[in-house]
Amino acid sequence: MRSILTLAAALLFASPSFAQRIEVTIPAGRPLTGHLILVISKQGSPEPRMQLQETYTSAQAFGVDVTSLPPNQPIVIDDKTIGYPRKSLTDLDPGDYTVQAVFNVYEQFHLASGKTVWLPPDKGEGQHWNLKPGNPYNAPVKLYIDPKSNQTLKLTLDKVIPPTAGTDRDPAFIAAHDPGAKWLKYMRFRSEKLSKFWGRDMYLGAWVLLPEGFDAHPDAHYPLIVYQDHFHPGFAAPVAFDTTPPAAGKHNPRSSAGYKFFQDWTSGRLPRVILIYVQSANPYYDDSYDVDSANVGPYGSAINEELIPAIEKKYRGIGQGWARATFGGSTGGWESIATQVFYPDQYNGTYTACPDPVDFHAYQNVDIYNDPNAFFRHGDFGAVPIAADRKPDGSIIADTGDEYRYEYVLGTHGRSTEQWDIWQAVFSPAGPDGYPKDVIDPITGTIDKSTVAYWHDHYDLTAILQRDWTTLGPKLEGKLHLAVGDGDTYFLNNAVHLLQSTLDDTRNPHSDATFQYGPGMPHCYTGGPTEYTMEENRDTWAQRVIPQMVEHMLKTAPSGADTKSWRY
């Protein structure tokens, strides 16, 4: 980390006022556009910028949009600034706090649509405002805050988050130093489709795990399996590829799982396939959802029509739909089933776990078709907040309204780079200003039914399967396999049940999709033998599903297909 100026934190008497002010100055050499996030915590560790979350245990935050801010002009937080979890600076209790601010720098994007938008580009960190290289911030400082004071607190953001290049958060650096480099390759791929959409060079990343014997069998061509997940700098599908056994006497289940995966991959216990993991961080989130979107761009086309063919060409993939499959959980779960549905001829199976909402009647806990408001359900005399997150025992830890406020504090116009905002960015049409059109008002919770209609037609997977079953049904036979915990942290099991109900009613053909539910299991349940724990099944997920994928490929391979060169 490099320092620009020393942090200034002082109490200065200001003009008479009934609410405390906080002024934040950024000693930049040019005007800045972006979003200030000020974090106030009662805890000294970790740094306050790492303590924000969507649940009730979050630190306090305030957010301010800034446009063309002149150098050294202060940004003001006062009683009118929107906060989370408490709504205003005046709602804080007097006391000593640890305070830190980060300025999320935006850049201008000139879109192919003709619109110009200001967004936070991914800088290799995986779209995290509190880790983004180039963002100014200050070291945590202790301050006494009294909302009724007429004094002004001042902060100066005198540090800048350093680049990831050459660190253990840099995929290229990781690849160059990975002891498994014989099998594990990294590719940075410029997408023509994405670059045209965004008006600048845009890249995808891909980790490619090659089968044992790849170099010794130059005439072999291999099936390809895509693992879907959030951004990770290194390979994780869904565990690391660890060539070194865990240290003796140290119990590290994840490290042990990574080493076991390495052993199974290189010993011949697993089918010889190419396994890839794609990185698609973008200006709205750490992942693209792997579909074409009016706001995020043509990531579905870029991945399936540009990147994957390039990988198959370079690493001798078979390059045919019968010889591809996909799996993933959570965001990756939605991506895996959406990929299979939107590209039914290009993939021959998905193993989908705990997917993001596959039916918008259960958009987490909101029915966007029938609920007028996403934050409360109203009776004649009472109202109840709509829950968003829960513990496995059913205890509620976050409401939908609070989560929307959390994201609004992190960024307006859908720029929080968090969960509700990326769903909106992916699923919504672009609004008149070039930003995603709101499906839910972030302050009031009112649901825009015209936007809902667009979501229904383009991205509600259950609705799409129901509408297009005559065409899709025959192409999806034997390909859909889902698992979810019935205690899913985000209520995602509800949408999976609705999907199953719809598929159970199909005819010509009757769907043969399989579903496994884990009683009481939270988010990231991947199915598997019930005699093993959720964690044990998660850590052996690849070993469980890859043989099933390959078995199905061999059963459905067309006449004359290469089913032998890779089975040595």
Side-chain angles (χ1 to χ4, degrees), residues 238-295:
V239 295
F241 186 73
D242 289 332
T243 60
T244 305
K250 290 188 177 181
H251 180 64
N252 187 331
R254 293 292 281 173
S255 179
S256 297
Y259 182 62
K260 179 65 165 57
F261 178 53
F262 160 74
Q263 290 178 306
D264 291 341
W265 187 262
T266 58
S267 67
R269 287 194 289 267
L270 285 174
R272 292 180 173 90
V273 299
I274 299 169
L275 177 61
I276 72 168
Y277 155 62
V278 177
Q279 297 168 329
S280 60
N282 58 79
Y284 282 106
Y285 198 50
D286 82 333
D287 199 287
S288 67
Y289 279 73
D290 293 9
V291 292
D292 292 351
S293 162
N295 300 294

Side-chain angles (χ1 to χ4, degrees), residues 318-324 345 348 479 551-564 566:
I318 291 173
Q320 297 175 14
W322 71 267
R324 295 192 195 104
D345 296 318
N348 200 9
K479 296 184 179 183
E551 180 181 7
H552 180 70
M553 291 176 186
L554 293 173
K555 286 181 179 179
T556 58
S559 176
D562 178 6
T563 60
K564 295 182 179 180
W566 48 281

Side-chain angles (χ1 to χ4, degrees), residues 194-212:
L194 294 174
S195 298
K196 180 179 179 181
F197 176 90
W198 284 104
R200 62 167 68 183
D201 287 342
M202 296 292 288
Y203 292 85
L204 295 164
W207 283 99
V208 182
L209 183 61
L210 300 177
E212 175 68 18

Side-chain angles (χ1 to χ4, degrees), residues 367 370-374 376 378 445-449:
D367 180 350
N370 297 304
D371 285 333
N373 189 282
F376 290 91
H378 294 271
T446 301
I447 299 174
D448 183 333
K449 299 302 181 178

Side-chain angles (χ1 to χ4, degrees), residues 477-498:
E477 286 296 280
K479 296 184 179 183
L480 302 181
H481 309 278
L482 291 91
V484 68
D486 261 333
D488 188 273
T489 310
Y490 311 108
F491 299 89
L492 300 175
N493 53 306
N494 296 337
V496 175
H497 279 284
L498 292 173

